[in-house]
Amino acid sequence: MKLYKVLFILIFISFETSRSQIANSNDGCANIHNDYIKGIRLFNYTDVSNCYKSIPFDRSVANQTIQTINELFNGFYSFLDIAREPPPNGFNFSSINITSELNRLLNNNTYGSLFQFMTDVRNVTSQLKDAHAKFVTSCFTTFAFFSNFTLYSVVGTNGTQIIKVRNDTIDPSNNNCEVILIDGIQAFKVIYEFARDSVFISKDIGVRFNLALDLVDAENSFSYRMNLPPTLNITYRLNCSNNIKDVNRVWIAMSLPEILNQFNDSKSFYKNRCNITTTNQTMISLYQREFHETKNLLHVKRDNSILDVTQEYKGDHDNWQPTNVTVIGVVQDFISFFIKDNFGVIKIFSEQITFNDSVAINTIKGFENLANSGVKKIVIDLSNNFGGSIAVSAFINLILFPNNPNPFFDYDLRVTDSIRFALENGILFNINETAFSSIKTKFQNINDFIGNNSYSRGNVMGRYSNKFVPDILSLLTNFIAQYLRIPLPWKSKDIIILTNGVCGSACALIARHAVENNNVSTVAVGGLVNSTNLSYSSFPGGVYIDSSTIFKLNSPNNTLIPKPFPLNAYITLPFTEVYSRKQPDKLLEFLYSPANFTIFYDEQSIQDQSILWSKAASYIGKT
């Protein structure tokens, strides 16, 4: 249920390269090491490209990778069959038989490097447009890439969508210039196609468009990437107050010291980054650190190849940071409470938190303080929230809507022999901590849990478990009753939800509960002009598991659990489904959820989220 918080130090730079982007030798890995020991921390794109491509294609590695990943999909992926169906109205993605498409890669006889093959595996899995289904290799996520040039989108006076410069960290005079062309192609077309093909976080193309322009997620951003960009540089043609000019920006590569210390040439790069020399769990942890530390963004300058950190960078994608507001309460990394003008704001950043009594009590105090302030209207900002714990979402749902005592949606899972084995061995969850969704009594045993249900998905008849919910309702309601000293004054008509569509997983369960079960209105920001209304939530697909956990059950005589990947790699897969309450035969993952209202960024609101709060508040009571 989580996409992690970034650790890596993405760097904003005035970059004056001290050596050419042409590699000094054929061993890019060695060049990188030589730079690193000199104190250089920003690396040459060509060296990284050569380093990655130095590993030759290995047919046996390819065969084992596809065998393992397909066995994982067949055994554990909840949406294996329904992914074959055409997208519902409102969504933009292609139906896919994922295992067939992965097998097709093995028929390609043109691979020159393992990098090319693994990139294609990643690209095929990303076609699912499922944020919970993600394939990562240690080798080829060693570096993150930044171009010192970020973008945003506004709507012009003629109603067309315009791409503009958000932050050129080399030449700030380009900020807010219109971007006409990117590498000779219409700028909007480039970003749209990147969102359509390369962003996988949502089934809504408008949400993917928002993510492509943001820095919040390096796996889905046009300007900041965990995957090797296809070319050394990007050329932007700008219109700056009728002054037309071309700006070229080179991709800069960055990594963590823990990673850079692992190799000094291509041979040691393969041995220590690609071979299975550490546990997959260690690899996952390091990748999550590398992926996320770049969001701490530092201003640096490059002087004679030595980095000089000058000041901490506070903004760019952190545009939720408001101005002209009163702070009522803050629970670090989770939730904040504000007053803006005559309305209140509840900003929920993530549900991926350490959820203990202290956090819960301070959250309740924040709600109480906001209620005691006397505000009559509330904006709940769920933008750029990738989710977390189901318990946290249920906790918020019960506080906001005490008259609707069921804060959960119904879950089930696709029953396979592998799923049953995993349940019996306790690596998915404890069925004793779940209950029948209809009667709320606990399951007696695994057969009671699995039941005897068959549904057709993608023209495939499959077995599915009985519907269930977490058995924590009384725990949460008793806790809230103990610490919430006053009734909150707001009704559904007094509340509106604001998102940019990037409200996923546990966040989506908050938004969907508010809308489906309590008739709260929604405002979405951004997306595409002249398109269907932007979704207010994404990927509410349920609980996921990573392959490293599954591999713990692997043994020589066990055919239900696949062999580990032959190289350092992992995949995450959702193994549960979540059902709509309004349309109980529909899965939330495949149910289009358009916002009631849509607004778009402008030159001011892209820098100050509180402007969007005011716009959202103006729609309260309008539905």
Side-chain angles (χ1 to χ4, degrees), residues 145-165:
F145 304 87
F146 184 57
S147 63
N148 301 291
F149 204 87
T150 59
L151 307 170
Y152 68 102
S153 173
V154 300
V155 180
T157 54
N158 60 355
T160 60
Q161 204 141 9
I162 297 170
I163 305 299
K164 305 190 80 172
V165 180

mmCIF file with all atom_site columns, all heavy atoms in Angstrom, residues 145-165:
data_model
loop_
_atom_site.group_PDB
_atom_site.id
_atom_site.type_symbol
_atom_site.label_atom_id
_atom_site.label_alt_id
_atom_site.label_comp_id
_atom_site.label_asym_id
_atom_site.label_entity_id
_atom_site.label_seq_id
_atom_site.pdbx_PDB_ins_code
_atom_site.Cartn_x
_atom_site.Cartn_y
_atom_site.Cartn_z
_atom_site.occupancy
_atom_site.B_iso_or_equiv
_atom_site.pdbx_formal_charge
_atom_site.auth_seq_id
_atom_site.auth_comp_id
_atom_site.auth_asym_id
_atom_site.auth_atom_id
_atom_site.pdbx_PDB_model_num
ATOM 1   N N   . PHE A 1 145 ? 18.289 10.589 -12.699 1.00 0.00 ? 145 PHE A N   1
ATOM 2   C CA  . PHE A 1 145 ? 18.663 11.566 -13.718 1.00 0.00 ? 145 PHE A CA  1
ATOM 3   C C   . PHE A 1 145 ? 17.803 12.806 -13.605 1.00 0.00 ? 145 PHE A C   1
ATOM 4   O O   . PHE A 1 145 ? 16.590 12.723 -13.435 1.00 0.00 ? 145 PHE A O   1
ATOM 5   C CB  . PHE A 1 145 ? 18.500 10.950 -15.117 1.00 0.00 ? 145 PHE A CB  1
ATOM 6   C CG  . PHE A 1 145 ? 19.281 9.683  -15.301 1.00 0.00 ? 145 PHE A CG  1
ATOM 7   C CD1 . PHE A 1 145 ? 18.736 8.452  -14.939 1.00 0.00 ? 145 PHE A CD1 1
ATOM 8   C CD2 . PHE A 1 145 ? 20.562 9.715  -15.815 1.00 0.00 ? 145 PHE A CD2 1
ATOM 9   C CE1 . PHE A 1 145 ? 19.457 7.282  -15.086 1.00 0.00 ? 145 PHE A CE1 1
ATOM 10  C CE2 . PHE A 1 145 ? 21.299 8.546  -15.979 1.00 0.00 ? 145 PHE A CE2 1
ATOM 11  C CZ  . PHE A 1 145 ? 20.738 7.325  -15.606 1.00 0.00 ? 145 PHE A CZ  1
ATOM 12  N N   . PHE A 1 146 ? 18.451 13.957 -13.736 1.00 0.00 ? 146 PHE A N   1
ATOM 13  C CA  . PHE A 1 146 ? 17.743 15.236 -13.663 1.00 0.00 ? 146 PHE A CA  1
ATOM 14  C C   . PHE A 1 146 ? 18.284 16.162 -14.742 1.00 0.00 ? 146 PHE A C   1
ATOM 15  O O   . PHE A 1 146 ? 19.469 16.136 -15.063 1.00 0.00 ? 146 PHE A O   1
ATOM 16  C CB  . PHE A 1 146 ? 17.916 15.864 -12.278 1.00 0.00 ? 146 PHE A CB  1
ATOM 17  C CG  . PHE A 1 146 ? 17.143 17.138 -12.092 1.00 0.00 ? 146 PHE A CG  1
ATOM 18  C CD1 . PHE A 1 146 ? 15.779 17.152 -12.271 1.00 0.00 ? 146 PHE A CD1 1
ATOM 19  C CD2 . PHE A 1 146 ? 17.781 18.315 -11.746 1.00 0.00 ? 146 PHE A CD2 1
ATOM 20  C CE1 . PHE A 1 146 ? 15.051 18.330 -12.115 1.00 0.00 ? 146 PHE A CE1 1
ATOM 21  C CE2 . PHE A 1 146 ? 17.067 19.490 -11.584 1.00 0.00 ? 146 PHE A CE2 1
ATOM 22  C CZ  . PHE A 1 146 ? 15.694 19.491 -11.765 1.00 0.00 ? 146 PHE A CZ  1
ATOM 23  N N   . SER A 1 147 ? 17.395 16.980 -15.301 1.00 0.00 ? 147 SER A N   1
ATOM 24  C CA  . SER A 1 147 ? 17.791 17.831 -16.431 1.00 0.00 ? 147 SER A CA  1
ATOM 25  C C   . SER A 1 147 ? 17.840 19.312 -16.074 1.00 0.00 ? 147 SER A C   1
ATOM 26  O O   . SER A 1 147 ? 18.011 20.145 -16.975 1.00 0.00 ? 147 SER A O   1
ATOM 27  C CB  . SER A 1 147 ? 16.814 17.627 -17.593 1.00 0.00 ? 147 SER A CB  1
ATOM 28  O OG  . SER A 1 147 ? 15.507 18.041 -17.217 1.00 0.00 ? 147 SER A OG  1
ATOM 29  N N   . ASN A 1 148 ? 17.694 19.668 -14.799 1.00 0.00 ? 148 ASN A N   1
ATOM 30  C CA  . ASN A 1 148 ? 17.720 21.072 -14.366 1.00 0.00 ? 148 ASN A CA  1
ATOM 31  C C   . ASN A 1 148 ? 16.614 21.924 -14.983 1.00 0.00 ? 148 ASN A C   1
ATOM 32  O O   . ASN A 1 148 ? 16.751 23.139 -15.091 1.00 0.00 ? 148 ASN A O   1
ATOM 33  C CB  . ASN A 1 148 ? 19.067 21.716 -14.712 1.00 0.00 ? 148 ASN A CB  1
ATOM 34  C CG  . ASN A 1 148 ? 20.217 21.010 -14.066 1.00 0.00 ? 148 ASN A CG  1
ATOM 35  O OD1 . ASN A 1 148 ? 20.373 21.067 -12.859 1.00 0.00 ? 148 ASN A OD1 1
ATOM 36  N ND2 . ASN A 1 148 ? 21.016 20.331 -14.863 1.00 0.00 ? 148 ASN A ND2 1
ATOM 37  N N   . PHE A 1 149 ? 15.527 21.286 -15.390 1.00 0.00 ? 149 PHE A N   1
ATOM 38  C CA  . PHE A 1 149 ? 14.524 22.014 -16.168 1.00 0.00 ? 149 PHE A CA  1
ATOM 39  C C   . PHE A 1 149 ? 13.176 21.350 -15.914 1.00 0.00 ? 149 PHE A C   1
ATOM 40  O O   . PHE A 1 149 ? 12.930 20.242 -16.378 1.00 0.00 ? 149 PHE A O   1
ATOM 41  C CB  . PHE A 1 149 ? 14.895 21.922 -17.652 1.00 0.00 ? 149 PHE A CB  1
ATOM 42  C CG  . PHE A 1 149 ? 14.347 23.017 -18.519 1.00 0.00 ? 149 PHE A CG  1
ATOM 43  C CD1 . PHE A 1 149 ? 15.050 24.216 -18.669 1.00 0.00 ? 149 PHE A CD1 1
ATOM 44  C CD2 . PHE A 1 149 ? 13.162 22.859 -19.209 1.00 0.00 ? 149 PHE A CD2 1
ATOM 45  C CE1 . PHE A 1 149 ? 14.579 25.226 -19.496 1.00 0.00 ? 149 PHE A CE1 1
ATOM 46  C CE2 . PHE A 1 149 ? 12.678 23.869 -20.029 1.00 0.00 ? 149 PHE A CE2 1
ATOM 47  C CZ  . PHE A 1 149 ? 13.391 25.051 -20.179 1.00 0.00 ? 149 PHE A CZ  1
ATOM 48  N N   . THR A 1 150 ? 12.298 22.004 -15.142 1.00 0.00 ? 150 THR A N   1
ATOM 49  C CA  . THR A 1 150 ? 10.996 21.421 -14.853 1.00 0.00 ? 150 THR A CA  1
ATOM 50  C C   . THR A 1 150 ? 9.893  22.237 -15.513 1.00 0.00 ? 150 THR A C   1
ATOM 51  O O   . THR A 1 150 ? 10.072 23.416 -15.844 1.00 0.00 ? 150 THR A O   1
ATOM 52  C CB  . THR A 1 150 ? 10.752 21.327 -13.336 1.00 0.00 ? 150 THR A CB  1
ATOM 53  O OG1 . THR A 1 150 ? 10.828 22.636 -12.764 1.00 0.00 ? 150 THR A OG1 1
ATOM 54  C CG2 . THR A 1 150 ? 11.789 20.432 -12.683 1.00 0.00 ? 150 THR A CG2 1
ATOM 55  N N   . LEU A 1 151 ? 8.728  21.604 -15.677 1.00 0.00 ? 151 LEU A N   1
ATOM 56  C CA  . LEU A 1 151 ? 7.659  22.146 -16.505 1.00 0.00 ? 151 LEU A CA  1
ATOM 57  C C   . LEU A 1 151 ? 6.333  22.158 -15.754 1.00 0.00 ? 151 LEU A C   1
ATOM 58  O O   . LEU A 1 151 ? 6.168  21.501 -14.740 1.00 0.00 ? 151 LEU A O   1
ATOM 59  C CB  . LEU A 1 151 ? 7.509  21.290 -17.770 1.00 0.00 ? 151 LEU A CB  1
ATOM 60  C CG  . LEU A 1 151 ? 8.776  21.051 -18.597 1.00 0.00 ? 151 LEU A CG  1
ATOM 61  C CD1 . LEU A 1 151 ? 8.519  19.989 -19.663 1.00 0.00 ? 151 LEU A CD1 1
ATOM 62  C CD2 . LEU A 1 151 ? 9.272  22.338 -19.225 1.00 0.00 ? 151 LEU A CD2 1
ATOM 63  N N   . TYR A 1 152 ? 5.394  22.917 -16.292 1.00 0.00 ? 152 TYR A N   1
ATOM 64  C CA  . TYR A 1 152 ? 4.013  22.846 -15.815 1.00 0.00 ? 152 TYR A CA  1
ATOM 65  C C   . TYR A 1 152 ? 3.096  23.198 -16.967 1.00 0.00 ? 152 TYR A C   1
ATOM 66  O O   . TYR A 1 152 ? 3.553  23.599 -18.054 1.00 0.00 ? 152 TYR A O   1
ATOM 67  C CB  . TYR A 1 152 ? 3.776  23.754 -14.608 1.00 0.00 ? 152 TYR A CB  1
ATOM 68  C CG  . TYR A 1 152 ? 3.830  25.251 -14.843 1.00 0.00 ? 152 TYR A CG  1
ATOM 69  C CD1 . TYR A 1 152 ? 2.658  26.003 -14.939 1.00 0.00 ? 152 TYR A CD1 1
ATOM 70  C CD2 . TYR A 1 152 ? 5.041  25.932 -14.931 1.00 0.00 ? 152 TYR A CD2 1
ATOM 71  C CE1 . TYR A 1 152 ? 2.691  27.378 -15.118 1.00 0.00 ? 152 TYR A CE1 1
ATOM 72  C CE2 . TYR A 1 152 ? 5.093  27.306 -15.117 1.00 0.00 ? 152 TYR A CE2 1
ATOM 73  C CZ  . TYR A 1 152 ? 3.912  28.024 -15.213 1.00 0.00 ? 152 TYR A CZ  1
ATOM 74  O OH  . TYR A 1 152 ? 3.948  29.386 -15.394 1.00 0.00 ? 152 TYR A OH  1
ATOM 75  N N   . SER A 1 153 ? 1.806  23.042 -16.754 1.00 0.00 ? 153 SER A N   1
ATOM 76  C CA  . SER A 1 153 ? 0.835  23.256 -17.825 1.00 0.00 ? 153 SER A CA  1
ATOM 77  C C   . SER A 1 153 ? -0.227 24.250 -17.375 1.00 0.00 ? 153 SER A C   1
ATOM 78  O O   . SER A 1 153 ? -0.698 24.191 -16.229 1.00 0.00 ? 153 SER A O   1
ATOM 79  C CB  . SER A 1 153 ? 0.175  21.928 -18.210 1.00 0.00 ? 153 SER A CB  1
ATOM 80  O OG  . SER A 1 153 ? -0.872 22.136 -19.137 1.00 0.00 ? 153 SER A OG  1
ATOM 81  N N   . VAL A 1 154 ? -0.604 25.143 -18.273 1.00 0.00 ? 154 VAL A N   1
ATOM 82  C CA  . VAL A 1 154 ? -1.702 26.081 -18.045 1.00 0.00 ? 154 VAL A CA  1
ATOM 83  C C   . VAL A 1 154 ? -2.629 26.032 -19.250 1.00 0.00 ? 154 VAL A C   1
ATOM 84  O O   . VAL A 1 154 ? -2.297 25.453 -20.290 1.00 0.00 ? 154 VAL A O   1
ATOM 85  C CB  . VAL A 1 154 ? -1.197 27.528 -17.824 1.00 0.00 ? 154 VAL A CB  1
ATOM 86  C CG1 . VAL A 1 154 ? -0.283 27.609 -16.616 1.00 0.00 ? 154 VAL A CG1 1
ATOM 87  C CG2 . VAL A 1 154 ? -0.491 28.056 -19.065 1.00 0.00 ? 154 VAL A CG2 1
ATOM 88  N N   . VAL A 1 155 ? -3.781 26.642 -19.096 1.00 0.00 ? 155 VAL A N   1
ATOM 89  C CA  . VAL A 1 155 ? -4.730 26.757 -20.195 1.00 0.00 ? 155 VAL A CA  1
ATOM 90  C C   . VAL A 1 155 ? -4.671 28.175 -20.738 1.00 0.00 ? 155 VAL A C   1
ATOM 91  O O   . VAL A 1 155 ? -4.829 29.146 -19.991 1.00 0.00 ? 155 VAL A O   1
ATOM 92  C CB  . VAL A 1 155 ? -6.156 26.415 -19.742 1.00 0.00 ? 155 VAL A CB  1
ATOM 93  C CG1 . VAL A 1 155 ? -7.128 26.548 -20.908 1.00 0.00 ? 155 VAL A CG1 1
ATOM 94  C CG2 . VAL A 1 155 ? -6.203 25.013 -19.157 1.00 0.00 ? 155 VAL A CG2 1
ATOM 95  N N   . GLY A 1 156 ? -4.397 28.298 -22.047 1.00 0.00 ? 156 GLY A N   1
ATOM 96  C CA  . GLY A 1 156 ? -4.292 29.609 -22.671 1.00 0.00 ? 156 GLY A CA  1
ATOM 97  C C   . GLY A 1 156 ? -5.639 30.285 -22.830 1.00 0.00 ? 156 GLY A C   1
ATOM 98  O O   . GLY A 1 156 ? -6.700 29.685 -22.612 1.00 0.00 ? 156 GLY A O   1
ATOM 99  N N   . THR A 1 157 ? -5.604 31.536 -23.237 1.00 0.00 ? 157 THR A N   1
ATOM 100 C CA  . THR A 1 157 ? -6.842 32.308 -23.389 1.00 0.00 ? 157 THR A CA  1
ATOM 101 C C   . THR A 1 157 ? -7.754 31.733 -24.464 1.00 0.00 ? 157 THR A C   1
ATOM 102 O O   . THR A 1 157 ? -8.964 31.946 -24.434 1.00 0.00 ? 157 THR A O   1
ATOM 103 C CB  . THR A 1 157 ? -6.513 33.770 -23.736 1.00 0.00 ? 157 THR A CB  1
ATOM 104 O OG1 . THR A 1 157 ? -5.664 33.791 -24.893 1.00 0.00 ? 157 THR A OG1 1
ATOM 105 C CG2 . THR A 1 157 ? -5.788 34.449 -22.583 1.00 0.00 ? 157 THR A CG2 1
ATOM 106 N N   . ASN A 1 158 ? -7.169 30.989 -25.414 1.00 0.00 ? 158 ASN A N   1
ATOM 107 C CA  . ASN A 1 158 ? -7.989 30.373 -26.467 1.00 0.00 ? 158 ASN A CA  1
ATOM 108 C C   . ASN A 1 158 ? -8.438 28.960 -26.106 1.00 0.00 ? 158 ASN A C   1
ATOM 109 O O   . ASN A 1 158 ? -8.984 28.243 -26.950 1.00 0.00 ? 158 ASN A O   1
ATOM 110 C CB  . ASN A 1 158 ? -7.219 30.347 -27.785 1.00 0.00 ? 158 ASN A CB  1
ATOM 111 C CG  . ASN A 1 158 ? -5.923 29.548 -27.689 1.00 0.00 ? 158 ASN A CG  1
ATOM 112 O OD1 . ASN A 1 158 ? -5.561 29.082 -26.596 1.00 0.00 ? 158 ASN A OD1 1
ATOM 113 N ND2 . ASN A 1 158 ? -5.232 29.399 -28.802 1.00 0.00 ? 158 ASN A ND2 1
ATOM 114 N N   . GLY A 1 159 ? -8.182 28.554 -24.859 1.00 0.00 ? 159 GLY A N   1
ATOM 115 C CA  . GLY A 1 159 ? -8.633 27.251 -24.395 1.00 0.00 ? 159 GLY A CA  1
ATOM 116 C C   . GLY A 1 159 ? -7.689 26.105 -24.700 1.00 0.00 ? 159 GLY A C   1
ATOM 117 O O   . GLY A 1 159 ? -8.011 24.949 -24.394 1.00 0.00 ? 159 GLY A O   1
ATOM 118 N N   . THR A 1 160 ? -6.525 26.375 -25.281 1.00 0.00 ? 160 THR A N   1
ATOM 119 C CA  . THR A 1 160 ? -5.561 25.323 -25.570 1.00 0.00 ? 160 THR A CA  1
ATOM 120 C C   . THR A 1 160 ? -4.611 25.134 -24.390 1.00 0.00 ? 160 THR A C   1
ATOM 121 O O   . THR A 1 160 ? -4.400 26.050 -23.591 1.00 0.00 ? 160 THR A O   1
ATOM 122 C CB  . THR A 1 160 ? -4.745 25.646 -26.828 1.00 0.00 ? 160 THR A CB  1
ATOM 123 O OG1 . THR A 1 160 ? -4.043 26.885 -26.622 1.00 0.00 ? 160 THR A OG1 1
ATOM 124 C CG2 . THR A 1 160 ? -5.646 25.768 -28.043 1.00 0.00 ? 160 THR A CG2 1
ATOM 125 N N   . GLN A 1 161 ? -4.030 23.959 -24.338 1.00 0.00 ? 161 GLN A N   1
ATOM 126 C CA  . GLN A 1 161 ? -3.128 23.636 -23.236 1.00 0.00 ? 161 GLN A CA  1
ATOM 127 C C   . GLN A 1 161 ? -1.701 24.035 -23.619 1.00 0.00 ? 161 GLN A C   1
ATOM 128 O O   . GLN A 1 161 ? -1.215 23.706 -24.702 1.00 0.00 ? 161 GLN A O   1
ATOM 129 C CB  . GLN A 1 161 ? -3.195 22.147 -22.921 1.00 0.00 ? 161 GLN A CB  1
ATOM 130 C CG  . GLN A 1 161 ? -2.790 21.813 -21.512 1.00 0.00 ? 161 GLN A CG  1
ATOM 131 C CD  . GLN A 1 161 ? -3.656 20.725 -20.905 1.00 0.00 ? 161 GLN A CD  1
ATOM 132 O OE1 . GLN A 1 161 ? -4.454 20.100 -21.578 1.00 0.00 ? 161 GLN A OE1 1
ATOM 133 N NE2 . GLN A 1 161 ? -3.520 20.487 -19.609 1.00 0.00 ? 161 GLN A NE2 1
ATOM 134 N N   . ILE A 1 162 ? -1.039 24.733 -22.704 1.00 0.00 ? 162 ILE A N   1
ATOM 135 C CA  . ILE A 1 162 ? 0.298  25.269 -22.953 1.00 0.00 ? 162 ILE A CA  1
ATOM 136 C C   . ILE A 1 162 ? 1.257  24.688 -21.914 1.00 0.00 ? 162 ILE A C   1
ATOM 137 O O   . ILE A 1 162 ? 0.931  24.596 -20.727 1.00 0.00 ? 162 ILE A O   1
ATOM 138 C CB  . ILE A 1 162 ? 0.291  26.810 -22.855 1.00 0.00 ? 162 ILE A CB  1
ATOM 139 C CG1 . ILE A 1 162 ? -0.607 27.414 -23.939 1.00 0.00 ? 162 ILE A CG1 1
ATOM 140 C CG2 . ILE A 1 162 ? 1.705  27.383 -22.963 1.00 0.00 ? 162 ILE A CG2 1
ATOM 141 C CD1 . ILE A 1 162 ? -0.852 28.895 -23.758 1.00 0.00 ? 162 ILE A CD1 1
ATOM 142 N N   . ILE A 1 163 ? 2.438  24.314 -22.362 1.00 0.00 ? 163 ILE A N   1
ATOM 143 C CA  . ILE A 1 163 ? 3.502  23.868 -21.471 1.00 0.00 ? 163 ILE A CA  1
ATOM 144 C C   . ILE A 1 163 ? 4.418  25.063 -21.195 1.00 0.00 ? 163 ILE A C   1
ATOM 145 O O   . ILE A 1 163 ? 4.806  25.785 -22.120 1.00 0.00 ? 163 ILE A O   1
ATOM 146 C CB  . ILE A 1 163 ? 4.314  22.709 -22.084 1.00 0.00 ? 163 ILE A CB  1
ATOM 147 C CG1 . ILE A 1 163 ? 3.388  21.558 -22.485 1.00 0.00 ? 163 ILE A CG1 1
ATOM 148 C CG2 . ILE A 1 163 ? 5.383  22.237 -21.104 1.00 0.00 ? 163 ILE A CG2 1
ATOM 149 C CD1 . ILE A 1 163 ? 2.623  20.951 -21.342 1.00 0.00 ? 163 ILE A CD1 1
ATOM 150 N N   . LYS A 1 164 ? 4.757  25.261 -19.928 1.00 0.00 ? 164 LYS A N   1
ATOM 151 C CA  . LYS A 1 164 ? 5.617  26.383 -19.549 1.00 0.00 ? 164 LYS A CA  1
ATOM 152 C C   . LYS A 1 164 ? 6.761  25.888 -18.667 1.00 0.00 ? 164 LYS A C   1
ATOM 153 O O   . LYS A 1 164 ? 6.722  24.793 -18.121 1.00 0.00 ? 164 LYS A O   1
ATOM 154 C CB  . LYS A 1 164 ? 4.809  27.470 -18.822 1.00 0.00 ? 164 LYS A CB  1
ATOM 155 C CG  . LYS A 1 164 ? 3.601  27.980 -19.614 1.00 0.00 ? 164 LYS A CG  1
ATOM 156 C CD  . LYS A 1 164 ? 2.982  29.210 -18.984 1.00 0.00 ? 164 LYS A CD  1
ATOM 157 C CE  . LYS A 1 164 ? 3.761  30.461 -19.318 1.00 0.00 ? 164 LYS A CE  1
ATOM 158 N NZ  . LYS A 1 164 ? 3.075  31.695 -18.878 1.00 0.00 ? 164 LYS A NZ  1
ATOM 159 N N   . VAL A 1 165 ? 7.792  26.739 -18.539 1.00 0.00 ? 165 VAL A N   1
ATOM 160 C CA  . VAL A 1 165 ? 8.944  26.417 -17.714 1.00 0.00 ? 165 VAL A CA  1
ATOM 161 C C   . VAL A 1 165 ? 8.605  26.734 -16.266 1.00 0.00 ? 165 VAL A C   1
ATOM 162 O O   . VAL A 1 165 ? 8.272  27.877 -15.936 1.00 0.00 ? 165 VAL A O   1
ATOM 163 C CB  . VAL A 1 165 ? 10.190 27.203 -18.144 1.00 0.00 ? 165 VAL A CB  1
ATOM 164 C CG1 . VAL A 1 165 ? 11.384 26.838 -17.251 1.00 0.00 ? 165 VAL A CG1 1
ATOM 165 C CG2 . VAL A 1 165 ? 10.514 26.952 -19.609 1.00 0.00 ? 165 VAL A CG2 1
#
